[in-house]
Amino acid sequence: MRTIKIFDTTLRDGEQSPGASMNLREKLEVALALAELGVDVIEAGFAVASPGDFESVREVARIVRGSSVCSLARCVESDIDAAAESLKEAEQPRIHIFLATSPIHREYKLKMTAERNIESVHEAVIYARRFCPDIEFSAEDATRSEIDHLCRVVETAISAGATTVNIPDTVGYATPTEMYERISTLMNRVPNIDKAVISVHNHNDLGMAVATSLAAVLAGAGQVECTINGLGERAGNCSLEEVVMAIKTRHDVYNAKTRIITPKLVPTSRLVATVTGLKVPRNKAIVGQNAFAHESGIHQDGMLKNPTTYEIMLPSDVGFQKTDLVLGKHSGRAALADRAKTLGFELDADQLAKVFVEFKKLADRKKSIYDDDILALIEQNIHEQPNNSNTTKEVWSLVAYNLQCCTGGEPTVTLTLRYKNKEYTKEISDGDGPIDAIFLAIRDITGADISLKEYSVQSVTGGQDAQGEVTILINKNGDTYRGYAVSTDTIEASTTAILNAVNRILLKSELRVQDSELLEN
Ligand code: KIV
Ligand code: ZN
């Protein structure tokens, strides 16, 4: 089985995604994550492009061990000098030089004859070899270059000393079949082709970057250039996680493997999404939040019987903890019974039927059904609590708050809560801001030993009178509880959301007590 080299260009082509620029600290964090992921080559930047780029290539080269670090350069001596200088401290340096070879680029951009094009490749590779034994040459716009000319370019680059020759589909124009044919032709026609690794670098303008890269692998390419989350110029580059998992999952077809430690794919994808601010779509293959989530009743039933019915990879193979059987309006009884069981409740057929009817009604009103909603449904329908029309039983409720804050000073909050018809008031002058002060006051009054894990406010509608939708996650003894509230007053919504979560904790512990009492009797 061949090992395909993975060349990651998130820090160079990926950073060319509009809006994706990263600062030095972020680039170093990503570079270390890429090295841990097991990529063979990290393209750290284009050293001559700016002093900032030079500095980041130099720092990446200084700290990365275990992967080659490379800098891009045009076929210009000053570019190659800058690349070589920036890579001085690299454990495994690579200089990556490129020149466009297509007639469109030669005529309009470079104003260069085909003959001069070949000479430039030769001179640049010879020059770069003075600094470094590992030289990659890229024939920019290779897929729109005349095949005869491209064969000469590749042969010239290899005879001048290039150890990798890259055939980029710069504008994302090639189809997988064309790419297969192009690489096969090079393999058959270039006499010294066995002296270098053939690489591809495919853009995603027609959504085919992964497919064309895989076609190239089938035809004999030994390196794929790609980016985390498919970032890159315009529509992006071949997505690293997709191409790697395709090779791994269909090794029967590709007869190849990579060195990528695939359980690190999701954490690396999240890191890149965080530092670039370019969020991963939920339905993105491999690393999207829905990649291992099933909502349809038929699929959930199949998954519970045997996960291979609807999953071709293990979630843990890419770094997800587990499959997510999302409870929503398409879910069936099997999934509901399974979730209830996970939450500690074995429902008999009658109980399940009853809870299922209410569950479907709730699912029509609410997009996502959380574990606490299920607990509340069980509580209402199995334990039949009277006077409880809400999905969450209100135990603690807000009576009033009075809040004073000023710039640079500690907030003061006076909070009054009601519990079983009795009121409790607490004044607190502490906290990192108004929400923290409210949280501390709630903790004090309710005695709940909780910590805030996540807090988010979103505006439900536009406009000045928009409602604030607060979602929080709190932690108690390692368990996570969600709280949710909406109000035009975000402080009130935050307070109610925290109380909502505290009430869910109470509800859960009460239910468990009732259950164990029932069992004991
Ligand atoms: O898309 C492209 O052709 C490139 C080259 C510089 C490799 O990014
Ligand atoms: Zn590119």
Side-chain angles (χ1 to χ4, degrees):
M1 207 187 263
R2 289 188 305 143
T3 300
I4 305 299
K5 287 191 179 198
I6 296 298
F7 174 116
D8 179 278
T9 182
T10 307
L11 296 174
R12 199 276 297 168
D13 216 324
E15 211 211 8
Q16 288 171 219
S17 301
S21 56
M22 298 169 240
N23 63 32
L24 179 61
R25 189 186 51 75
E26 291 165 339
K27 283 186 182 177
L28 296 181
E29 205 179 339
V30 171
L32 289 175
L34 291 171
E36 276 191 25
L37 181 65
V39 308
D40 297 279
V41 186
I42 298 173
E43 184 160 59
F46 192 173
V48 85
S50 71
D53 263 51
F54 181 90
E55 182 65 7
S56 43
V57 179
R58 196 174 59 175
E59 285 303 299
V60 171
R62 201 173 57 77
I63 62 165
V64 163
R65 292 295 171 262
S67 307
S68 299
V69 175
C70 120
S71 170
L72 188 64
R74 289 168 298 178
C75 285
V76 172
E77 289 191 359
S78 52
D79 276 37
I80 298 170
D81 292 342
E85 182 63 28
S86 68
L87 293 169
K88 264 196 168 144
E89 290 188 63
E91 181 190 58
Q92 302 166 46
R94 171 179 291 193
I95 297 177
H96 177 192
I97 43 187
F98 75 101
L99 182 66
T101 54
S102 67
I104 304 175
H105 282 242
R106 288 194 321 255
E107 186 179 342
Y108 297 104
K109 188 178 86 176
L110 302 172
K111 310 215 181 305
M112 189 182 257
T113 63
E115 222 38 57
R116 181 67 204 127
N117 198 243
I118 301 279
E119 283 162 17
S120 298
V121 174
H122 178 80
E123 286 160 13
V125 176
I126 295 271
Y127 185 73
R129 276 299 296 249
R130 287 167 40 180
F131 301 99
C132 173
D134 186 356
I135 303 297
E136 171 165 338
F137 173 75
S138 280
E140 192 191 10
D141 205 18
T143 52
R144 292 192 300 168
S145 303
E146 311 93 320
I147 190 70
D148 291 344
H149 182 68
L150 188 62
C151 285
R152 279 187 71 199
V153 166
V154 173
E155 186 181 348
T156 305
I158 297 173
S159 63
T163 40
T164 302
V165 179
N166 188 29
I167 310 298
D169 185 22
T170 303
V171 289
Y173 180 73
T175 66
T177 319
E178 285 168 349
M179 181 55 92
Y180 180 86
E181 279 166 8
R182 188 152 283 243
I183 300 294
S184 302
T185 306
L186 292 172
M187 292 292 183
N188 292 327
R189 279 182 42 188
V190 176
N192 53 0
I193 197 90
D194 58 320
K195 304 276 181 312
V197 173
I198 295 302
S199 169
V200 280
H201 170 114
N202 300 334
H203 278 267
N204 205 29
D205 299 67
L206 293 173
M208 297 194 287
V210 173
T212 45
S213 303
L214 291 168
V217 167
L218 273 182
Q223 173 177 286
V224 173
E225 302 198 1
C226 42
T227 56
I228 299 292
N229 299 339
L231 294 183
E233 189 82 40
R234 305 181 311 279
N237 288 58
C238 169
S239 142
L240 182 149
E241 53 281 0
E242 291 177 24
V243 80
V244 164
M245 287 313 291
I247 291 173
K248 182 174 168 127
T249 310
R250 299 309 311 272
H251 56 85
D252 55 326
V253 172
Y254 298 106
N255 194 23
K257 57 185 169 45
T258 69
R259 285 179 54 235
I260 298 298
I261 302 164
T262 60
K264 293 186 190 278
L265 286 171
V266 167
T268 314
S269 156
R270 291 197 173 146
L271 171 67
V272 170
T274 307
V275 301
T276 58
L278 295 178
K279 297 273 168 275
V280 175
R282 288 184 80 97
N283 64 336
K284 165 94 169 62
I286 316 297
V287 292
Q289 239 184 309
N290 288 357
F292 292 88
H294 308 261
E295 192 187 309
S296 126
I298 296 170
H299 289 209
Q300 292 182 340
D301 184 48
M303 285 294 299
L304 290 167
K305 289 176 175 147
N306 185 331
T308 59
T309 50
Y310 288 102
E311 274 180 2
I312 56 166
M313 297 166 266
L314 289 176
S316 55
D317 272 356
V318 305
F320 279 116
Q321 275 182 343
K322 58 181 174 50
T323 294
D324 191 7
L325 296 188
V326 181
L327 291 181
K329 69 176 178 181
H330 303 111
S331 304
R333 272 163 216 259
L336 178 63
D338 181 69
R339 186 64 59 87
K341 195 170 164 192
T342 312
L343 294 170
F345 302 96
E346 288 274 6
L347 302 181
D348 65 27
D350 285 349
Q351 289 173 327
L352 180 60
K354 224 166 151 190
V355 176
F356 189 64
V357 171
E358 295 309 314
F359 163 76
K360 282 283 175 180
K361 285 190 204 158
L362 182 64
D364 266 338
R365 300 199 311 268
K366 209 165 175 277
K367 235 191 197 146
S368 307
I369 309 279
Y370 300 111
D371 287 356
D372 298 323
D373 295 315
I374 304 294
L375 281 169
L377 284 176
I378 295 173
E379 189 255 0
Q380 283 162 34
N381 292 285
I382 307 302
H383 296 278
E384 297 195 333
Q385 302 278 335
N387 307 324
N388 189 10
S389 55
N390 297 331
T391 51
T392 304
K393 186 176 165 192
E394 289 289 344
V395 181
W396 286 96
S397 58
L398 172 66
V399 177
Y401 76 83
N402 187 318
L403 185 64
Q404 284 169 302
C405 311
C406 60
T407 316
E410 272 181 350
T412 299
V413 65
T414 311
L415 185 68
T416 304
L417 303 181
R418 184 177 296 119
Y419 178 64
K420 293 188 175 164
N421 291 330
K422 231 176 127 190
E423 287 185 7
Y424 300 81
T425 299
K426 180 89 196 168
E427 183 178 305
I428 279 218
S429 290
D430 195 3
D432 248 352
I435 306 300
D436 196 30
I438 296 257
F439 187 79
L440 294 175
I442 291 179
R443 223 166 52 171
D444 238 65
I445 298 175
T446 62
D449 180 18
I450 49 176
S451 57
L452 191 57
K453 238 175 104 175
E454 264 180 53
Y455 170 83
S456 80
V457 189
Q458 265 182 317
S459 147
V460 179
T461 55
Q464 209 175 325
D465 60 351
Q467 300 221 86
E469 182 185 45
V470 176
T471 308
I472 60 136
L473 291 181
I474 64 177
N475 196 355
K476 173 146 191 345
N477 299 338
D479 286 336
T480 301
Y481 298 83
R482 189 180 298 266
Y484 172 84
V486 178
S487 168
T488 46
D489 173 347
T490 31
I491 299 292
E492 185 187 300
S494 306
T495 314
T496 314
I498 299 167
L499 290 176
N500 185 237
V502 169
N503 289 336
R504 287 173 199 272
I505 298 174
L506 286 179
L507 174 63
K508 192 167 172 182
S509 48
E510 276 176 19
L511 278 179
R512 292 274 154 73
V513 172
Q514 285 176 18
D515 256 19
S516 53
E517 278 168 3
L518 282 175
L519 285 176
E520 277 159 23
N521 296 331

